[in-house]
Amino acid sequence: SQTIHQWPATLVQPVGSPLSLECTVEGTSNPNLYWYRQAAGRGLQLLFYSVGIGQISSEVPQNLSASRPQDRQFILSSKKLLLSDSGFYLCAWSYSGADTQYFGPGTRLTVL
Amino acid sequence: GNSVTQMEGPVTLSEEAFLTINCTYTATGYPSLFWYVQYPGEGLQLLLKATKADDKGSNKGFEATYRKETTSFHLEKGSVQVSDSAVYFCALSNSGAGSYQLTFGKGTKLSVIP
């Protein structure tokens, strides 16, 4: 069966510090991968998605970036965090060419 | 563009009450429709889906029917339990650049009291 992991589960970072969140998927190959942000009262916002290694599409211009160094690894990064980056970050995967997405447990990021 | 509108919450029900959470959508083409559930502090779990008009998705006593004529996908459950307390998200999928992207509603928080 397939599982998706995210870490860390929670993170508190000062403004201006760097960020690295990691997501890995087990039990499948060549998945599509997604990063979402969930801010309080604002639903889910798609940030990035990837259909393969090194292929990243950005949905929202911002100070965040994503990378996919391995087939089942997806990383969300920032060089300098802003207060507005606080939120709940969710990684998701889907089979290639399929529309159903499966979500990880999320990372709660607080920027102070 | 694509959009999903859900009834605003929070919704508070007594145990064993009937639940309806309204969801309407705007989309081009023929999207698939989903309901996801999020329990406190957790990620989203797929609750049910429907892929074409008049399809009914069902799971754990929840049901939703894909109504193309009214562009709706309302979530229903005949008898809610305290354990159903969560945030429910309606979503649709649209394809682009080899990947399906989900458009979500803002979520409806349900609280079920004993």
Side-chain angles (χ1 to χ4, degrees):
Chain A
S1 64
Q2 299 77 29
T3 55
I4 178 169
H5 305 279
Q6 288 187 244
W7 62 88
T10 60
L11 191 60
V12 180
Q13 292 285 92
V15 169
S17 63
L19 173 73
S20 181
L21 303 181
E22 187 166 344
C23 170
T24 59
V25 179
E26 295 177 355
T28 189
S29 297
N30 195 33
N32 290 343
L33 297 172
Y34 308 83
W35 277 113
Y36 291 86
R37 177 168 59 202
Q38 185 178 26
R42 296 182 61 184
L44 282 87
Q45 179 186 38
L46 178 64
L47 302 175
F48 302 95
Y49 66 93
S50 170
V51 299
I53 295 175
Q55 301 179 60
I56 308 295
S57 296
S58 173
E59 289 297 302
V60 182
Q62 56 212 326
N63 69 318
L64 299 173
S65 62
S67 62
R68 185 170 177 174
Q70 300 180 41
D71 181 45
R72 290 170 292 175
Q73 184 184 33
F74 205 23
I75 297 173
L76 183 69
S77 303
S78 174
K79 292 182 179 178
K80 286 187 177 182
L81 284 167
L82 307 173
L83 286 174
S84 57
D85 291 324
S86 293
F88 193 48
Y89 287 82
L90 289 158
C91 182
W93 74 274
S94 70
Y95 290 106
S96 178
D99 58 8
T100 302
Q101 294 181 23
Y102 302 94
F103 286 79
T107 295
R108 174 74 60 190
L109 172 66
T110 303
V111 182
L112 301 175
Chain B
N2 300 312
S3 67
V4 174
T5 303
Q6 286 181 239
M7 62 185 291
E8 293 192 14
V11 174
T12 302
L13 295 174
S14 297
E15 205 165 22
E16 299 184 1
F18 184 86
L19 168 71
T20 299
I21 300 179
N22 291 336
C23 171
T24 57
Y25 68 91
T26 301
T28 55
Y30 302 93
S32 294
L33 301 174
F34 304 83
W35 277 102
Y36 283 84
V37 58
Q38 185 178 33
Y39 298 102
E42 298 184 7
L44 274 69
Q45 298 178 23
L46 177 66
L47 182 58
L48 52 85
K49 66 178 281 190
T51 59
K52 61 183 186 296
D54 300 324
D55 264 4
K56 178 184 284 187
S58 61
N59 186 26
K60 299 181 181 179
F62 291 90
E63 293 183 340
T65 301
Y66 191 145
R67 300 289 188 197
K68 191 164 180 62
E69 65 276 14
T70 54
T71 61
S72 65
F73 193 54
H74 305 321
L75 182 68
E76 297 182 335
K77 186 176 185 182
S79 177
V80 294
Q81 305 300 313
V82 172
S83 57
D84 294 326
S85 298
V87 180
Y88 292 81
F89 291 92
C90 185
L92 65 83
S93 71
N94 56 292
S95 62
S99 174
Y100 285 90
Q101 300 171 37
L102 291 178
T103 300
F104 285 89
K106 292 188 176 181
T108 302
K109 184 176 182 179
L110 170 66
S111 297
V112 180
I113 55 177

